[in-house]
Every structure is written in structure tokens, then in C-alpha cells.
Amino acid sequence: MKVIKAANYVDLSKKAAALIAAQIIRDPSSVLGLATGSTPVGVYSELAELCGQGVIDFACVTTVNLDEYCGLPAEHPQSYAQFMRQKLFDHVNIAKSNTHLPDGMAKDAEVECLRYERLIEGLGGIDLQLLGIGRNGHIGFNEPGESFAPGTHQTGLAKDTLDANSRFFGPGEKVPTQAFSMGIGTIMRARSILLIASGSDKTWALDKTINGPVTPQVPASVLQFHRDVTVIYCD
Ligand code: F6R
């Protein structure tokens, strides 16, 4: 694991965007695994800027997102599909047909999870997976538990995650309690992984991820077993 301390959030965003840009320059047909949440917002705006300057070209890039809330249609303001459009896809020259997320409205969860796994497989796997990390050490929506999920699955969100995510929802709006998420196996099959973390509320999770025992109680700790992980963090 390469661990890089950034000076601040802007520096973190620039450094992470530079690594993603390098991946796209090396392979213009890259498959990028993407994350939502507040941490990658700066990275996405840096990527949009690099694209505007002609440094990177998204024309042949494909993206697969980590997760989506169950029960929210793609047009819902709080859906991750909408988040990705607002923060990245609408600002770069990516073909919308090359952007993929689990379908939060899928009727049959099992079929949807299988479809998503097959889709990633069919794309030849993920070249670079961007990850945020939850305060409890979750990645994607792989919450602390008894085992590591091998593939995309439907999962309940931990109380801490619901509390953290409620900030994105208006008063009286219900935070979805279920999501589709890539599994730990899906994430670990990515050829390279870039984990970003900002702020002191992530210190515990980051310390356990880098230095702690590998345990499903801290899902991100499994990244110690991956051969190409870069962690960029700031206080
Ligand atoms: C989002 C995701 C989550 C977030 C994590 C951190 O797609 O998979 O694991 O990365 O909850 O969220 P923020 O960045 O909002 O602290």
C-alpha cells in the first residue's frame, strides 16, 4: 500500500485526479470504478477541468459505479446516478451509454446483482477503482460484518452510514436503508485501487485499514491484500 498525505483537500483532489488522468492517458479505453459521497467531489471537478483543457479525453472511457440506493430511480435528486451526472458526467465528453450504475429500481435484486457483475466482467474488469471510506471502515456499502461479500449484492446500510448520509436528504425525506453495492470481491478484482479520505472523522478507519488486522469488521482492511493500492488522505 502506498500512503500519501496531502496538504489539504484541494491537494488531495489534485493528486487523486492526476493519478486517474495518468490512467486515462496510458489507456484511453480505461474502465474506471467510481465512488459517490462528498470526498470525490473535488476529484471530479479537477477531472472535468483537465478534460476541458484537453489533457484527458473521456470519449472511450467506461465507468462503473460502486453502488446505488435501492428504491430511488436514476432521476431522483439523491440517486447516485444523478450525483454522477451533476459532478462528473455532464462536464466531460463521456458517452452516457458508457456510464453504469446498479439500477436502484430493479424488481429482482438477485438478477440485478448478477447483471452488474457480468457487466463488469464483460468490460474486462476494472482498471482503476476509486474508493472513499466510511467512518466505520466501509467501502462501497460493504458494512462491517462477519464476512467479505464476494460480489455485487443488496445490503442494509449501517446505522452510522444512515446518520452520515442523512445530510444529503432534506428534512422529512427518508434516507434509503438498502443499497446495491459491489462486493469486496468485485473491488479486489480491480487492477488498481485509489482510496481517498479527508478529515479527522476518518482517522480511526484509515488507521485500521492501513495498520490493523484484516477483518470483515473493518471492510477496508482487506485492501492490505491487494497488490496495487494507493491511499491519499488529508486531515
Ligand atoms: C459511495 C460509497 C461510500 C463512500 C463513503 C464515504 O459510493 O461507496 O463507501 O465512499 O461512505 O463517503 P464520504 O466521501 O461522503 O465521506
Side-chain angles (χ1 to χ4, degrees):
M1 224 182 246
K2 298 177 203 83
V3 181
I4 298 164
K5 181 165 187 199
N8 50 45
Y9 180 69
V10 172
D11 186 39
L12 174 150
S13 302
K14 284 187 188 295
K15 284 181 162 62
L19 290 180
I20 297 170
Q23 171 65 44
I24 297 173
I25 292 166
R26 255 198 319 269
D27 177 5
S29 308
S30 289
V31 177
L32 301 179
L34 298 179
T36 54
S38 45
T39 317
V41 170
V43 180
Y44 294 150
S45 107
E46 291 290 336
L47 287 175
E49 205 167 317
L50 289 171
C51 185
Q53 292 164 355
V55 177
I56 49 174
D57 181 0
F58 278 81
C60 299
V61 168
T62 300
T63 65
V64 282
N65 262 77
L66 279 167
D67 39 26
E68 178 60 283
Y69 288 122
C70 293
L72 296 193
E75 304 70 38
H76 191 282
Q78 304 307 335
S79 76
Y80 285 165
Q82 186 70 8
F83 174 98
M84 289 309 301
R85 278 195 290 271
Q86 280 172 5
K87 303 298 179 199
L88 183 66
F89 301 153
D90 285 351
H91 309 287
V92 297
N93 64 327
I94 196 162
K96 297 296 177 278
S97 53
N98 285 350
T99 65
H100 305 281
L101 292 97
D103 175 5
M105 294 305 284
K107 294 265 174 307
D108 187 327
E110 222 170 288
V111 170
E112 176 57 10
C113 293
L114 201 62
R115 178 195 73 82
Y116 206 62
E117 277 299 310
R118 293 229 168 107
L119 171 86
I120 295 169
E121 236 178 82
L123 291 168
I126 298 167
D127 292 304
L128 187 158
Q129 176 66 54
L130 178 65
L131 296 176
I133 185 169
R135 300 182 296 206
N136 61 5
H138 76 213
I139 47 177
F141 280 130
N142 292 274
E143 301 285 15
E146 296 308 313
S147 61
F148 294 117
T152 302
H153 57 290
Q154 185 178 27
T155 181
L157 307 189
K159 162 97 175 60
D160 188 66
T161 306
L162 291 172
D163 290 347
N165 289 3
S166 62
R167 70 190 190 278
F168 297 113
F169 289 78
E173 254 189 311
K174 256 193 96 204
V175 186
T177 55
Q178 296 272 317
F180 290 122
S181 174
M182 284 185 197
I184 291 293
T186 328
I187 294 169
M188 289 294 277
R189 283 189 285 278
R191 285 181 277 284
S192 63
I193 292 175
L194 173 56
L195 185 147
I196 53 175
S198 162
S200 55
D201 58 337
K202 302 293 173 71
T203 307
W204 178 89
L206 213 49
D207 176 51
K208 294 285 174 223
T209 298
I210 298 166
N211 306 309
V214 172
T215 163
Q217 295 298 334
V218 182
S221 64
V222 76
L223 299 176
Q224 290 177 36
F225 289 154
H226 194 285
R227 54 199 292 188
D228 187 357
V229 178
T230 304
V231 176
I232 307 180
Y233 75 98
C234 67
D235 293 332

